[in-house]
């Protein structure tokens, strides 16, 4: 497939162990052209997520630029998830310190340039809090004309994993999520509902370990990932976003009206999904309600097999 036919994407990420798997898959998928990786504060602070993104592109030997994003949510203070991903954000594998540096341009300017200079629409794949995306759309609204869709990991049709009703990416920056969900852009939401039903078990992780250098690295990270355990099953949340981009037919989806709670201290960050259209509002989000679990696992393992 020549470069002109590939789907152009920008990954906005807070690596993050499950982010690392999604980034690996995206970088080695022959149908995709990853134009830029932008980093955001989330799982760990933005200095670490930026350094981790640089470590990953260097590990994979890919010449994809990395641009550093904002260091805190729009309103709230950052509450990271280092208990899940480790202090570094990628505990478990000793990456070499990266030789390359992030772009001079910060994330939203770098995204704006890529989007406005592209001769075909760009897909945004945010797999962390939506702070950068909200700022991009607010500061440079002209980019909306050349964004194909936003395929994000975040939210839930049920409960949360950071607060009782808040999924981590949404609850970390509810105000940013509200801006993005109100943007009028085509949004696909890959929420917690998927991760709870498509767990990687020990035998799956062992298969991944034996694949290649990337599989071995991922296995080392998995041993430190607190998004489950090797035995109880690991939740590969961020990989659902890349899976939807390359094989959407694996997913059961429903177009719904979705709003983000930003005021209640009890439910801030909750994605309120109007599955039964009680409010009669026009849908603004394609919500992924489920995934073919066996097919997703085989797809994930085959995708990692394409890495170095
Ligand atoms: O709730 C899961 C999300 O929060 C994933 O993106 C994970 O990396 C963390 O950022
Ligand atoms: Ca993430």
């Amino acid at each position: 497939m020549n470069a002109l036919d590939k789907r152009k994407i920008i990954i906005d990420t807070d690596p993050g162990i499950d982010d690392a798997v999604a980034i690996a898959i995206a970088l080695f998928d022959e149908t995709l052209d990853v134009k830029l990786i932008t980093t955001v504060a989330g799982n760990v602070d933005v200095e670490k997520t930026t350094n981790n993104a640089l470590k990953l592109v260097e590990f994979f030997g890919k010449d994809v630029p990395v641009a550093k994003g904002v260091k805190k949510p729009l309103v709230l203070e950052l509450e990271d998830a280092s208990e899940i991903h480790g202090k570094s954000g990628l505990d478990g594998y000793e990456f070499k310190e990266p030789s390359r540096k992030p772009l001079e341009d910060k994330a939203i300017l770098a995204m704006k340039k890529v989007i406005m200079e592209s001769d075909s629409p760009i897909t945004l794949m945010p797999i962390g809090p939506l702070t950068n995306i909200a700022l991009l759309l607010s500061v440079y609204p002209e980019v909306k004309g050349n964004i194909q869709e936003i395929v994000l990991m975040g939210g839930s049709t049920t409960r949360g994993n950071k607060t009782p009703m808040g999924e981590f990416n949404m609850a970390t920056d509810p105000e940013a999520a509200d801006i993005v969900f109100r943007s009028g852009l085509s949004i696909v939401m890959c929420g917690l509902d998927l991760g709870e039903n498509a767990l990687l078990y020990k035998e799956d992780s062992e298969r991944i370990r034996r694949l290649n250098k990337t599989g071995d690295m991922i296995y080392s990270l998995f041993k430190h990932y607190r998004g489950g355990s090797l035995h109880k099953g690991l939740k590969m949340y961020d990989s659902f976003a890349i899976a939807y981009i390359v094989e959407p037919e694996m997913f059961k989806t429903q177009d719904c009206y979705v709003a983000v709670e930003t005021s209640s201290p009890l439910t801030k960050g909750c994605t309120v999904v109007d599955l039964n259209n009680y409010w009669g509002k026009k849908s603004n989000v394609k919500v992924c309600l489920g995934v073919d679990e066996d097919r997703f696992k085989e797809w994930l393992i085959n995708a990692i097999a394409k890495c170095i």
Side-chain angles (χ1 to χ4, degrees):
M1 178 181 268
N2 72 50
L4 291 178
D5 299 330
K6 293 188 177 188
R7 183 170 181 174
K8 295 177 182 169
I9 73 167
I10 293 174
I11 302 172
D12 188 67
T13 178
D14 60 338
I17 290 173
D18 60 326
D19 301 68
V21 180
I23 291 167
I25 292 171
L27 289 176
F28 288 92
D29 186 287
E30 62 279 1
T31 67
L32 299 179
D33 178 4
V34 181
K35 303 301 290 181
L36 174 68
I37 293 175
T38 52
T39 58
V40 66
N43 286 321
V44 287
D45 69 42
V46 74
E47 299 303 328
K48 291 178 181 175
T49 59
T50 305
N51 201 42
N52 289 341
L54 290 166
K55 285 177 180 175
L56 289 166
V57 291
E58 198 142 306
F59 176 91
F60 295 125
K62 292 289 184 179
D63 190 18
V64 174
V66 172
K68 182 174 167 184
V70 289
K71 63 181 177 184
K72 71 173 287 298
L74 296 183
V75 174
L76 301 180
E77 291 307 312
L78 176 66
E79 291 174 9
D80 73 23
S82 49
E83 75 284 357
I84 304 285
H85 299 266
K87 273 180 62 184
S88 72
L90 288 178
D91 277 18
Y93 187 85
E94 283 307 314
F95 292 91
K96 283 194 311 184
E97 274 310 304
S99 55
R100 47 190 101 181
K101 300 291 179 209
L103 295 176
E104 283 295 313
D105 288 345
K106 292 296 179 276
I108 67 166
L109 180 55
M111 284 196 273
K112 182 238 185 182
K113 288 181 178 177
V114 166
I115 293 166
M116 298 311 287
E117 289 164 12
S118 175
D119 53 12
S120 59
I122 300 272
T123 295
L124 303 185
M125 188 179 92
I127 49 178
L130 293 171
T131 317
N132 290 334
I133 309 301
L135 283 171
L136 168 74
L137 300 180
S138 305
V139 176
Y140 303 115
E142 65 271 28
V143 299
K144 289 184 178 181
N146 208 25
I147 292 173
Q148 178 175 339
E149 66 181 347
I150 297 177
V151 181
L152 62 88
M153 190 281 138
S156 160
T157 64
T158 57
R159 302 180 65 79
N161 63 348
K162 175 179 168 65
T163 64
M165 297 305 291
E167 177 277 326
F168 179 82
N169 290 336
M170 302 296 111
T172 296
D173 198 340
E175 289 74 16
D178 183 41
I179 288 169
V180 174
F181 278 64
R182 291 174 186 272
S183 66
L185 288 169
S186 172
I187 296 173
V188 177
M189 183 178 113
C190 304
L192 293 181
D193 315 74
L194 302 172
E196 313 297 341
N197 304 314
L199 299 173
L200 286 185
Y201 293 102
K202 189 160 178 19
E203 62 272 17
D204 304 314
S205 298
E206 294 294 347
R207 277 179 66 191
I208 289 169
R209 181 185 199 177
R210 293 191 295 270
L211 286 172
N212 50 28
K213 175 184 161 194
T214 299
D216 185 59
M217 177 268 284
I218 287 173
Y219 184 85
S220 302
L221 294 175
F222 281 175
K223 289 192 291 187
H224 287 72
Y225 181 43
R226 295 293 165 262
S229 77
L230 280 174
H231 300 282
K232 284 191 306 184
L234 297 166
K235 298 163 184 171
M236 288 294 101
Y237 293 123
D238 290 337
S239 293
F240 291 112
I242 187 66
Y244 182 88
I245 287 175
V246 297
E247 286 205 23
E249 62 277 6
M250 282 195 283
F251 293 82
K252 177 177 171 247
T253 64
Q254 182 177 329
D255 293 339
C256 302
Y257 177 73
V258 181
V260 180
E261 172 62 61
T262 56
S263 50
S264 160
L266 298 177
T267 55
K268 246 170 123 61
C270 175
T271 47
V272 183
V273 182
D274 189 1
L275 287 168
N276 299 312
N277 197 20
Y278 290 119
W279 292 325
K281 288 179 179 261
K282 183 175 178 298
S283 80
N284 57 335
V285 180
K286 185 179 290 296
V287 179
C288 292
L289 300 176
V291 67
D292 178 328
E293 182 172 344
D294 294 338
R295 188 171 165 192
F296 168 76
K297 264 201 248 190
E298 281 314 301
W299 169 84
L300 183 88
I301 293 170
N302 290 334
I304 295 171
K306 293 176 189 170
C307 301
I308 53 166

